[in-house]
């Protein structure tokens, strides 16, 4: 004898249909791009946001492989498939191209739909366009790089100024001594002992000057290597 339908069954049917209608509306109105594929990755459905982001019409992508839309390396693609085929949720970023060939970035999550028998029947990909975020991050990195370069230039200029002041201080006394004693020898009439004393002083001051120059060159070389 056939089972007579109870009064609850029509209500359950209506409830399921209402839930499906709500889910369908949510998917269509989602601010994220949504792709549903079969177990082999062939596209069965895309929502309006996907069309808006990529420029591809629904009929242009339904029936094609979802992997054709991305620019993953073979290694990245293999890891993604390994993850979702095992039932895990894969999350990552894609570099894609829209219909006009322009590149854009998307952040996506891909998960499997598994039936009551534990078999994967479909995959769902939910993605958002993060191109502007990527561009902002790139601009920030470039700004930080330029700031770093400017800070290095300021440090170099400060170092050069400090070295110039130090060098002038180190040179002043030896140069004054060399100039003064040279002038004495040139203009005066001194005995051999006095001339030897003055030339000895000039020699010592010249050595002091040479030492200061060598130290300056070493410090400049060290600073240049750091830059």
């Amino acid at each position: 004898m056939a089972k007579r339908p109870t009064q609850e069954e029509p209500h359950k049917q209506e409830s399921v249909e209402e839930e499906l209608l709500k889910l369908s509306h949510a998917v269509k109105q989602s601010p994220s791009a949504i792709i549903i594929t079969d177990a082999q990755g062939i596209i069965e459905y895309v929502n309006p946001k996907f069309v808006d982001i990529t420029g591809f019409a629904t009929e242009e992508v339904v029936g094609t492989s979802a992997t054709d839309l991305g620019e993953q390396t073979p290694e990245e693609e293999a890891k993604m498939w390994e993850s979702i085929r095992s039932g895990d949720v894969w999350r990552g970023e894609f570099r894609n191209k829209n219909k006009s060939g322009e590149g854009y970035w998307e952040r996506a999550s891909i998960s499997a739909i598994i039936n009551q028998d534990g078999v994967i029947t479909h995959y769902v990909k939910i993605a958002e366009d993060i191109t502007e975020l990527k561009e902002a991050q790139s601009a920030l990195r470039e700004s930080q790089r330029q700031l770093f370069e400017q800070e290095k230039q300021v440090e170099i200029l400060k170092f050069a100024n400090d070295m110039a002041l130090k060098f002038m201080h180190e040179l002043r006394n030896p140069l004054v001594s060399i100039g003064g004693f040279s002038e004495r020898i040139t203009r005066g009439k001194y005995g051999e002992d006095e001339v030897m004393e003055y030339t000895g002083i000039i020699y010592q001051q010249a050595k002091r000057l040479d030492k200061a120059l060598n130290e300056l060159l070493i410090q400049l070389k060290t600073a240049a290597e750091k830059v």
Side-chain angles (χ1 to χ4, degrees), residues 152-162:
K152 283 203 303 184
Q153 290 176 5
V154 171
E155 288 179 3
I156 292 170
L157 291 173
K158 183 178 182 301
F159 174 78
N161 182 66
D162 293 342

Side-chain angles (χ1 to χ4, degrees), residues 10-71:
H11 293 296
K12 288 182 180 179
Q13 180 83 19
E14 291 176 5
S15 178
V16 170
E17 291 177 354
E18 287 179 2
E19 288 299 317
L20 289 174
L21 184 61
K22 290 177 184 177
L23 289 173
S24 175
H25 182 76
V27 168
K28 288 180 179 178
Q29 299 300 318
S30 173
S32 300
I34 297 176
I35 301 174
I36 300 176
T37 75
D38 64 13
Q40 284 70 48
I42 303 301
I43 298 174
E44 293 185 353
Y45 172 83
V46 293
N47 73 339
K49 189 61 178 180
F50 169 88
V51 175
D52 180 51
I53 292 174
T54 66
F56 287 105
T58 301
E59 57 271 17
E60 291 179 295
V61 293
V62 168
T64 65
S65 175
T67 56
D68 292 341
L69 298 175
E71 295 185 347

Side-chain angles (χ1 to χ4, degrees), residues 53-56 97-104:
I53 292 174
T54 66
F56 287 105
K97 286 184 179 179
N98 59 24
K99 186 176 179 179
S100 61
E102 297 176 350
Y104 72 96

Side-chain angles (χ1 to χ4, degrees), residues 116-212:
Q116 294 179 348
D117 297 324
V119 178
I120 294 176
T121 60
H122 295 81
Y123 294 105
V124 178
K125 173 184 172 184
I126 302 175
E128 58 179 329
D129 186 345
I130 59 169
T131 304
E132 291 185 0
L133 175 62
K134 284 283 189 179
E135 291 174 349
Q137 290 174 339
S138 178
L140 177 60
R141 285 193 296 269
E142 177 61 19
S143 176
Q144 290 174 334
R145 186 193 66 78
Q146 291 180 1
L147 179 61
F148 178 71
E149 291 296 329
Q150 290 173 359
E151 289 175 346
K152 283 203 303 184
Q153 290 176 5
V154 171
E155 288 179 3
I156 292 170
L157 291 173
K158 183 178 182 301
F159 174 78
N161 182 66
D162 293 342
M163 291 301 300
L165 292 174
K166 180 181 178 181
F167 186 58
M168 290 173 63
H169 177 74
E170 292 289 338
L171 293 184
R172 181 175 291 117
N173 290 338
L175 287 174
V176 169
S177 296
I178 291 171
F181 284 103
S182 297
E183 185 179 6
R184 284 188 185 186
I185 293 173
T186 302
R187 293 185 178 183
K189 294 180 179 180
Y190 299 102
E192 184 177 345
D193 291 341
E194 291 175 307
V195 171
M196 288 295 293
E197 178 185 356
Y198 293 160
T199 55
I201 293 172
I202 291 172
Y203 176 72
Q204 292 298 324
Q205 294 301 318
K207 285 181 64 178
R208 179 180 173 185
L209 181 60
D210 181 64
K211 181 181 178 182

